Amino acid sequence: MLSRASIRLVRPAWFLALLMVLAEVHAAAPAASSEWVHPGADGRLVYKTDARGNRIPDFSNVGYRGGGVPLPDVPVRATVEPRAGDAGVRIQAAIDEVSKLAADERGVRGAVLLKKGRYAIAGTLRLHTGGVVLRGEGQGDDGTVLIATGATQRSLIVAGGGGRVTNPEEDDGGNAPASPVLKGSLRHVTDDYVPVGATRFHLNRVDGLKPGDEVVVRRPSPAEWIHDIGMDRIPPADHPVVQWKPGSKDLQFNRTVTAVEGKEVTIDVPLMNALEKKYGGGAVYTPGGDAARREIGVERLRGDSEFAKATDEKHGWVLVELAAVRDGWVRDVTSIHFGYSCVFVHKGSRAITVDHCACLEPVSQISGGRRYSFALDGELTLVEHCYARNGRHDFVMHSLAAGPNVFFDCLAEEVHADSGPHHRWSAGVLYDNVRVVPPRQNAKRDDGGLNIRNRGNSGTGHGWAGANQVAWNSSAAEMIVEQPPTAQNWAIGCIAGRHAGDGYWESFGRPVAPQSLFVAQLKDRLGLSPATQ
């Protein structure tokens, strides 16, 4: 676990003094109780709902194989030793060799072990087959170090698919890639309203649908909804602003059916956005295929990037990119000097754990589209015990991430912007014990922030960045939590030098019990012990 030391903020002397006092009070104060979710008499969590049945959802299904499952220790099937010259071809050959092995009953083929030492790599390593793990012998500078050489902006390790180096911040936020619909499988939700956190709803027909079936629940984005949340009239700016278009902001939740009773269907993971008949309701379909590769891991190594100067951008950009991975992981990995991120999880990836990773001293301009230390675009991802230094948007969500996603016990220091959802309606995120600390000198207003808000005409029209998101026992220099029309956002047990917004604020400046909502929810779901800590 990361240290829970008091936050070190450097702004005007009075501001620093205030934050230090608040941090000490926050640490020393006995835990309060949240009305929205708290342990009941039997230790299990009790949830409050609003007038329409919306509640703080259960986030516990995030991570490898749906959460609460230990990451595997995959046996070594190939070993690579450090040697002078470019090592990319030798490492890729070892990956390809293991990729040809038969998979076991879990889909695992084996690990490629990179012995301690330094490996120059001019290109990109590709984990293109499920069941393959790339493993080093330590994430320190004295461990296994992969060096991105040359003046090419690229991802050093791409898992699961073709990979891409793009600037999601300036994307117009087009629709999430649609899963192919199995012919004849489309069904429509008949309820007038299905609230946030629900796992049950009714369909117009259930023929052929049974427990164990994988489905996609699609929440549409009609013109009426876009108008009601104001995203068809984003204020103009001195740069192009793209108004949201009907059908461009659909959310697609990948779920598994657990029960069918009459025309009522139960799914395994709660919905992170309400389905409302006045806004097109919702639809359920069986996907016609799954391109994601499973059981892929990257672990126990360090990535470094060559660069020419402090603002150089023609060099290694992303250390680990998960382009289409399901049930995968990145653990005990450190990046240094990469321009964009340590780990970038794309759409099409889900059930991913990112554990004990660090993103250090990125090299780039300090400007838009850069320094997103741990960037999520996928679904059911857990980022835990991770650290970032000198980034911008360190724990960040991109557009239309359907959720749930969780950042748990994470720390960012020397931050040049804010963490939180970045643009265009990502749904269902928990920031649990996340700490964000600005630079010691020359900090700007949103440096070190943790914000869930309407970002208006930022970028090309980021607008409402996040919905149905929770900041729990977290701290930052600034927190802005706003409530979008048709959705909710919560800040509970948090501390900040400044805070604003019309979201649900509760127990500001004083922690609440349980200390970790994610851990308590996981214990509840697995029946491990009462959720008191």
Side-chain angles (χ1 to χ4, degrees):
M1 294 276 269
L2 299 171
S3 168
R4 303 195 62 80
S6 295
I7 299 174
R8 293 177 291 126
L9 298 172
V10 175
R11 294 223 175 163
W14 65 268
F15 186 77
L16 173 60
L18 172 63
L19 264 291
M20 293 302 290
V21 168
L22 288 174
E24 290 173 3
V25 170
H26 188 268
S33 179
S34 166
E35 290 187 2
W36 281 100
V37 54
H38 60 269
D42 61 355
R44 296 183 62 83
L45 295 174
V46 177
Y47 294 85
K48 171 186 172 181
T49 60
D50 68 11
R52 304 201 73 179
N54 299 294
R55 47 163 278 188
I56 288 178
D58 184 351
F59 294 97
S60 68
N61 293 89
V62 297
Y64 174 75
R65 287 186 171 262
V69 178
L71 298 180
D73 187 9
V74 174
V76 174
R77 302 302 187 200
T79 301
V80 180
E81 300 277 354
R83 190 187 305 168
D86 185 77
V89 173
R90 292 191 298 116
I91 297 173
Q92 189 64 56
I95 292 171
D96 295 343
E97 174 188 337
V98 174
S99 299
K100 296 174 184 176
L101 299 177
D104 66 14
E105 66 280 0
R106 290 173 58 90
V108 173
R109 302 174 197 276
V112 175
L113 176 63
L114 307 181
K115 302 293 286 185
K116 282 186 179 182
R118 305 179 78 79
Y119 298 80
I121 301 171
T124 295
L125 302 175
R126 298 189 180 275
L127 298 167
H128 46 71
T129 303
V132 179
V133 173
L134 186 63
R135 178 185 300 153
E137 291 191 320
Q139 68 187 118
D141 197 46
D142 59 348
T144 297
V145 183
L146 309 185
I147 303 170
T149 62
T152 303
Q153 189 182 107
R154 67 192 188 280
S155 298
L156 188 60
I157 302 169
V158 173
R164 62 191 178 109
V165 175
T166 61
N167 182 354
E169 178 175 304
E170 299 310 322
D171 180 7
D172 70 0
N175 201 6
S179 303
V181 181
L182 188 67
K183 186 177 180 179
S185 71
L186 187 64
R187 300 168 171 88
H188 296 282
V189 176
T190 59
D191 303 87
D192 288 340
Y193 191 87
V194 181
V196 176
T199 57
R200 296 181 181 182
F201 45 82
H202 295 84
L203 299 177
N204 64 328
R205 63 184 182 87
V206 295
D207 53 294
L209 202 59
K210 63 185 183 305
D213 285 350
E214 294 191 351
V215 297
V216 174
V217 182
R218 184 172 65 200
R219 187 262 187 187
S221 53
E224 294 82 0
W225 174 70
I226 290 173
H227 179 76
D228 286 353
I229 66 171
M231 294 295 97
D232 57 353
R233 49 194 187 279
I234 302 171
D238 57 1
H239 53 264
V241 173
V242 179
Q243 305 296 328
W244 294 12
K245 300 176 180 61
S248 72
K249 301 297 176 286
D250 295 0
L251 290 173
Q252 302 192 62
F253 302 95
N254 288 277
R255 299 293 186 261
T256 299
V257 174
T258 60
V260 180
E261 298 179 12
K263 291 188 177 181
E264 183 182 68
V265 172
T266 303
I267 53 177
D268 60 334
V269 180
L271 294 175
M272 298 291 137
N273 205 102
L275 308 178
E276 193 163 1
K277 183 171 285 188
K278 68 178 289 189
Y279 296 130
V284 173
Y285 65 87
T286 303
D290 185 359
R293 281 72 157 181
R294 303 193 187 206
E295 300 293 333
I296 292 179
V298 179
E299 57 190 29
R300 304 171 194 164
L301 56 80
R302 185 182 189 90
D304 199 349
S305 176
E306 291 184 342
F307 61 94
K309 59 182 180 180
T311 56
D312 186 13
E313 302 201 331
K314 293 183 177 180
H315 66 98
W317 210 237
V318 177
L319 175 55
V320 182
E321 180 178 358
L322 303 178
V325 177
R326 181 174 175 183
D327 296 323
W329 67 92
V330 183
R331 63 174 162 184
D332 301 325
V333 165
T334 293
S335 71
I336 186 168
H337 303 140
F338 284 78
Y340 190 78
S341 65
C342 176
V343 181
F344 188 2
V345 180
H346 284 293
K347 283 182 174 60
S349 291
R350 67 183 190 269
I352 305 297
T353 293
V354 181
D355 179 48
H356 282 94
C357 293
C359 187
L360 308 177
E361 309 306 337
V363 172
S364 72
Q365 299 175 33
I366 300 179
S367 164
R370 298 154 176 89
R371 306 193 186 202
Y372 291 55
S373 304
F374 297 92
L376 305 187
D377 217 4
E379 185 179 11
L380 294 160
T381 299
L382 169 63
V383 178
E384 62 177 352
H385 317 313
C386 288
Y387 175 74
R389 185 173 68 235
N390 207 25
R392 293 182 62 249
H393 304 298
D394 292 299
F395 308 115
V396 63
M397 300 301 307
H398 286 306
S399 67
L400 301 175
N405 291 288
V406 172
F407 296 94
F408 166 56
D409 186 33
C410 292
L411 170 64
E413 296 184 298
E414 299 293 311
V415 175
H416 300 282
D418 61 348
S419 285
H422 195 56
H423 65 138
R424 300 177 175 92
W425 208 265
S426 63
V429 184
L430 171 63
Y431 306 88
D432 187 328
N433 287 268
V434 171
R435 289 141 288 158
V436 187
V437 184
R440 292 169 179 258
Q441 297 179 345
N442 303 318
K444 299 176 183 177
R445 182 173 179 84
D446 69 343
D447 291 354
L450 177 57
N451 298 323
I452 310 169
R453 61 180 299 191
N454 184 349
R455 302 194 73 245
N457 58 23
S458 296
T460 56
H462 290 172
W464 281 109
N468 307 314
Q469 305 199 2
V470 181
W472 183 275
N473 283 348
S474 291
S475 57
E478 172 185 80
M479 295 188 74
I480 300 174
V481 177
E482 298 176 333
Q483 181 166 299
T486 76
Q488 304 80 33
N489 290 309
W490 293 265
I492 299 175
C494 294
I495 176 176
R498 298 184 302 271
H499 72 290
D502 61 350
Y504 290 116
W505 292 88
E506 190 177 46
S507 192
F508 180 75
R510 184 182 180 191
V512 295
Q515 179 180 335
S516 166
L517 177 61
F518 168 67
V519 171
Q521 288 182 329
L522 186 62
K523 287 180 177 180
D524 255 16
R525 182 168 64 83
L526 299 180
L528 295 178
S529 63
T532 56
Q533 294 296 325

